Structure formats: C-alpha cells, structure tokens
Amino acid sequence: MKQDMIVIIDLGSEENSAVAREIRAMGVYSEIYPHDITAENLAALPNVKGIVLNCGPNNIVDGEAISVSDSVLSCGIPNITIKDGSAHDGLKSFIFDTCKCDANWNMNNFIDDQVELLRKQIGDKKVLLALSGGVDSSVVAALLIRAIGKQLVCVHVNHGLLRKGEPEQVVKVFREELGATLIYSDSVDRFLNKLAGVADPESKRKIIGAEFIRVFEEEARKLDGIDFLAQGTIYPDIVESGTKTNKIVKSHHNVGGLPDDLKFELVEPLKYLFKDEVRACGKALGLPDDMVYRQPFPGPGLGVRCLGAITRDRLEAVRESDAILREEFANAGLQGKVWQYFTLIPEVKSVGVKDNARSFEWPVIIRAVNTVDAMTATIEHIDWALLDKITSRIITEVKGVNRVCYDLTPKPTGTIEWE
C-alpha cells in the first residue's frame, strides 16, 4: 500500500464507520480494528501513521470494561482518544500536524494498490467470480480483469431469487457485450428445494450462501487450475455481521455463510470500501454509469424479500410487484435519484374485496430509501399520485395480492432490508 493509514481502534463506539469515512474524506486511508489488537498485529500493518481510540457505550465485553494494551499505547505511534458523536474536534490537526499524513488516498491509488496485491496473491492461477451483475460483483470483475485478464472465470448462478429479467440481462451484458468468460448455471429448483419450509432469515441467508459455494465448487471441478474464489464483500457487510463490541445486525451470505471446508482461497478486493467508494472505484475503472449506479441488491436476492418461508407463488408475486415498482419509478424520473427501492411480501394475509367478492390475500410492502454508505438511511417521500398509480397496478396485475403498504421507517431503527 502506497498510502498512509490511520488505525481506528474500537473501544465500544457505535460510530466507527462514521469516523473511518470522516478520515477518508480528508484523503487519508483508515481501517477499523478491535480493542484487543496486539502491538505485533499493529506493526504488521502498512504505513500506520496514527491511532484513533474510539470510545463509546458498548465498552463492556463479557462483564469487563475493555481497553487497549499498554504495548499498543507505547509502540511509538501517535494516538488520540475521541468519543461517540457527529463532531471530532482536533482530529484533522492530529492527522496532518501530529501524524504528518499525506492526503493521497484516492480511487486511482486504491486501484493501483489492489492490482498489485491481486497479482501477488493470484500469480498465474485462475479465479472464479460469482457474478450477479450487481454493482459490487461488477466492480470486482472489472478490477480483476485489469489485474489478471483472462485468468478470471465468471459464473452467473440463477438461483430463482433474482429480479425479473436479470439473468438474461447479465448474460447479454457480460458475455455478449464485454466478452467475459461467463458460465451460466440454472439452479432455480436446487435452491428453492433447499429453502422449502425455512422461515428464519439467518438460516435462509446461510443456506443460500453455502449453496452458492457448492455450485461454484461444482463448476470449478469442470475447469482446470481454479484456486481462488472472488467475492464482492464490502465494508458494511463485515461491520453488520458483528464485531467484538458490536452485536450482529444480520449475517451476510458472503461473511457468515461460508462452509468450513471451503476449497478456495478468497479474493475480496473491495472488503474495506463503503458503498459510495465502490461506485467511485467502478467509475475510475471505466464502467458505464448504468452499471455503476445500478440499484443495490442483496446477495440472497428476493429470498429476503419473500419474508418467512419462501413459496414459489409468493416469490413470483414479489418479483412481479418489484418489476412494476421499478418501471413506474423509471417513468417518473426517480431511477438513479432514489438509492434503493423494492417490494417485499410477508407470510401474513389480510381480508379484502376483489371482483365484488371476499379475498384473503397478501399485502405488498414498498420500501424506498436514500443513503450514502448503507450504514444509515432516510425515507424517500414519494408523490401520492405516483403511489396511487403503483398501488393500482400491483393490486390489478399481481396475482394473490389485495393490499399495498409503504414503509416509513428509517435506518436506524429499521435496516434497509426486512430480513
């Protein structure tokens, strides 16, 4: 790594990500580490110029107050103590005046570093990439193509949990337009059979994650020299999957759902980037805007938007209602202006009236949020006339639905997804 680094040590803070982003916004790279990091671990990190001790309310672990070891505090690297809150007086002076950092962290330098690290890690071996077509996997693909070219093999798995038309679009863009080596795996029945009757969201995520790996292993056995598995893991995935002082928000399939007997070495070049930084990386790599600013989509796909135990008819209702929502948002000029919007359907049904008769069908819940880094989110205030139109189309065109609701909950207290 060519850039200077500031290490943030988590002493129970709920604002670690905000501090990391604040420092990066100054042009200095930063990473978050747990309170029990050793002086040896610290010394092994590249170009550490300063330590931020970030204190907060979660400072009791296993009944004892946490602290940093004396060996870390006396290692000769300057340190500053801050506490949870939106202002950190003196942080800028500490970074530039005390630590003498250079403001040289930017996407071009990040890409240069990653290309060098990827070439060193991979050598002349081949890499298998799970290519969903979303922002994260697309940026990983572009980065790997720059680093290792034809050593990259992309696999697109249709697990039956993708949005309407997406499998066809992925094949068209990556195989036909970008000329990538792309393997298409139709695994719809395999995934849905595994998920039958599973209602717990954590269990669903882990089943989907583990089954993804199995599919890749099977595809890899058909190829020669595959030693690495690339993933689009980003920093919020890691943070939300839990740290020593921060409880799990939710397990991400590419963090908590990997099997113990994984046959590949992982390649995760984006794992320390926030979502907006991933997009900036994609732009710097030359990816088109419609790919870089594509709406985020969770790894488990519609599996976490068909709430509770997945059934094929309710899954199809989620897919169709989501397609209507996206079409109407695009027609209203909201595509690219609202960060993420989607529909979801719970297991519950409600009484309604359709075709002059009693109906007992599902509600569709619409969610539309704006965020910078996916760590917090605000609600988009949609025009009532647009909501009326979307509601009318959904209850008319989507089988099994008789009610539409709009979720007004920000993050926190809600997460962006419901599961």
Side-chain angles (χ1 to χ4, degrees), residues 232-295:
T233 308
I234 63 174
Y235 220 5
D237 297 341
I238 295 172
V239 173
E240 289 194 339
S241 292
T243 64
K244 292 177 181 175
T245 62
N246 200 12
K247 294 180 180 179
I248 293 176
V249 178
K250 58 186 175 184
S251 293
H252 288 260
H253 76 286
N254 50 359
V255 177
L258 300 177
D260 294 332
D261 59 345
L262 183 67
K263 297 294 192 298
F264 307 110
E265 182 178 336
L266 288 179
V267 174
E268 299 175 300
L270 306 181
K271 67 179 179 180
Y272 292 119
L273 293 188
F274 294 98
K275 195 72 180 189
D276 59 316
E277 295 171 335
V278 174
R279 296 186 192 279
C281 183
K283 287 286 290 181
L285 286 164
L287 290 176
D289 282 356
D290 59 353
M291 186 175 293
V292 170
Y293 297 106
R294 187 177 184 182
Q295 190 174 135

Side-chain angles (χ1 to χ4, degrees), residues 283-342:
K283 287 286 290 181
L285 286 164
L287 290 176
D289 282 356
D290 59 353
M291 186 175 293
V292 170
Y293 297 106
R294 187 177 184 182
Q295 190 174 135
F297 194 54
L302 299 183
V304 292
R305 295 177 181 172
C306 186
L307 305 183
I310 298 170
T311 61
R312 296 191 183 224
D313 52 356
R314 192 155 50 90
L315 179 62
E316 196 57 30
V318 175
R319 197 183 335 266
E320 291 298 324
S321 61
D322 178 81
I324 290 171
L325 178 68
R326 289 189 289 127
E327 181 181 335
E328 291 300 333
F329 266 43
N331 292 341
L334 295 176
Q335 186 175 0
K337 294 183 180 179
V338 181
W339 188 80
Q340 190 171 15
Y341 43 94
F342 55 89

Side-chain angles (χ1 to χ4, degrees), residues 119-148:
R119 287 172 178 168
K120 185 180 297 185
Q121 179 185 9
I122 297 164
D124 61 355
K125 304 296 184 181
K126 291 182 180 178
V127 180
L128 196 63
L129 170 64
L131 181 58
S132 67
V135 178
D136 301 337
S137 65
S138 297
V139 174
V140 169
L143 195 51
L144 282 166
I145 288 169
R146 178 170 294 193
I148 61 169

